Amino acid sequence: MTIVAVLSMKGGVGKSTVALGLASAAWDRSLRTLVIDLDPQANATMALDAGDAVFTTSDVLADARPGVAVDAVVPSGWAEGIDLIPAERSLEHRNVAQGRHSALRLRTALATLPRSYGLVVIDCPPSLGELTRNALSTADVAVVVTEPSHFSLHGAKEALEAVDVIASATNPDLRAKALVVNRFDPDDREHLLNLQRLGEAHGPLVYDPPLPVCSAIPASQRAVSPIHAWNAPGSRDVADIMDDLLDSLLPPERPTREMPKVSIRRFLT
Ligand SMILES: Nc1ncnc2c1ncn2[C@@H]1O[C@H](COP(=O)(O)OP(=O)(O)O)[C@@H](O)[C@H]1O
Ligand SMILES: [Mg+2]
């Protein structure tokens, strides 16, 4: 099981889009997936249309007994094999530390999550507060999303620093695996310049290629559809990028050992 946290300093840059895109790539390859919505705005919850939720991530963090998150899992409206722990507005109250080991509450609550999930995607709120700290304390890998605008460069750096802080404080195995640049326009000189700056500052962490502006993204989200099942101009390109991004986050497939070939002739003589 690989747990991915998708984060950024700012709202509206494409965190939920990347989280949903990864879930879509997982759905396309029949990889059982749980999406955990840690944003009080609950955009991923809406895009996955799980119906009326009984428990949400707010209840999970309030309770935080080992394994309690399993009770909050509901099937998504996408398809079988893609599940969700939904968010609600009142999750906002959990964005401040509560008691000792506050940042470990989500990790504790997920202790008994079935190993049959190949992927868990945590969609973070647009801040580096206690909710994002919980996500980073739980995750194996972090994906930071940014736009190629001047003011976003600083936010991307801060988000990457937050990953390092959590790694040294509570989660030594955590790694930032990708800095995804969203809404990139190759004809915009400012975008090209900022992409170059990001490359100079963060090297191979900057995910190549960046995500283009694509109207199929909001359209598929409104229609409660994985981008991989959405047939519109540009949707295939976005799906391909999400496939490659997911590949880069999952551990490399172990090569299957070839059976030694036994020569039949040996037995015939
Ligand atoms: N590359 C893109 N092209 C077109 N629309 C996009 C793109 N990325 C995101 N959007 C849309 O922009 C809005 C904000 O994106 P979202 O992923 O919800 O951001 P965040 O989760 O960071 O707040 C959503 O309506 C989403 O559908
Ligand atoms: Mg979001």
Side-chain angles (χ1 to χ4, degrees):
M1 185 195 306
T2 301
I3 306 181
V4 182
V6 185
L7 71 149
S8 76
M9 287 284 287
K10 264 180 68 174
V13 297
K15 284 179 298 301
S16 301
T17 293
V18 169
L20 292 165
L22 290 172
S24 176
W27 167 77
D28 191 54
R29 62 180 78 173
S30 305
L31 186 68
R32 201 170 165 223
T33 294
L34 174 66
V35 177
I36 301 177
D37 194 347
L38 270 195
D39 186 351
Q41 291 190 18
N43 292 344
T45 299
M46 287 178 239
L48 287 166
D49 188 27
D52 288 331
V54 180
F55 297 120
T56 67
T57 42
S58 181
D59 303 308
V60 168
L61 289 170
D63 186 319
R65 274 173 300 160
V68 76
V70 176
D71 296 340
V73 174
V74 288
S76 78
W78 270 13
E80 209 173 300
I82 306 295
D83 294 340
L84 170 74
I85 303 182
E88 62 180 321
R89 261 306 346 147
S90 63
L91 179 61
E92 190 64 56
H93 302 304
R94 312 261 159 240
N95 209 10
V96 287
Q98 32 178 348
R100 279 180 68 217
H101 307 306
S102 174
L104 296 175
R105 293 176 83 87
L106 180 65
R107 184 152 125 187
T108 307
L110 286 169
T112 60
L113 194 68
R115 297 281 125 187
S116 53
Y117 285 110
L119 177 70
V120 176
V121 184
I122 309 175
D123 189 19
C124 293
S127 76
L128 302 177
E130 201 61 7
L131 291 170
T132 297
R133 275 196 286 276
N134 265 275
L136 292 175
S137 300
T138 306
D140 304 304
V141 294
V143 173
V144 172
V145 185
T146 185
E147 284 178 332
S149 69
H150 177 68
F151 290 121
S152 300
L153 304 190
H154 188 68
K157 185 164 169 273
E158 278 189 48
L160 289 169
E161 281 165 6
V163 175
D164 289 343
V165 167
I166 294 290
S168 53
T170 56
N171 191 2
D173 295 332
L174 176 68
R175 293 282 172 277
K177 274 285 182 86
L179 176 57
V180 175
V181 180
N182 187 25
R183 286 204 191 83
F184 180 72
D185 174 3
D187 296 326
D188 188 323
R189 277 179 53 87
E190 177 81 10
H191 283 196
L192 285 168
L193 190 66
N194 287 325
L195 187 66
Q196 192 187 337
R197 285 199 185 126
L198 283 169
E200 283 160 10
H202 308 294
L205 211 53
V206 181
Y207 194 76
D208 184 30
L211 268 175
V213 175
C214 174
S215 61
I217 289 176
S220 64
Q221 291 168 357
R222 272 196 304 274
V224 190
S225 165
I227 191 81
H228 285 69
W230 192 252
N231 226 330
S235 62
R236 190 63 252 166
D237 294 338
V238 173
D240 286 346
I241 293 173
M242 289 303 165
D243 283 336
D244 292 343
L245 180 63
L246 182 58
D247 282 340
S248 76
L249 302 178
L250 296 178
E253 256 179 63
R254 258 183 278 158
T256 44
R257 261 221 341 259
E258 262 189 46
M259 294 293 284
K261 291 199 178 66
V262 180
S263 163
I264 299 177
R265 202 166 292 153
R266 239 178 69 202
F267 299 101
L268 295 178
T269 52

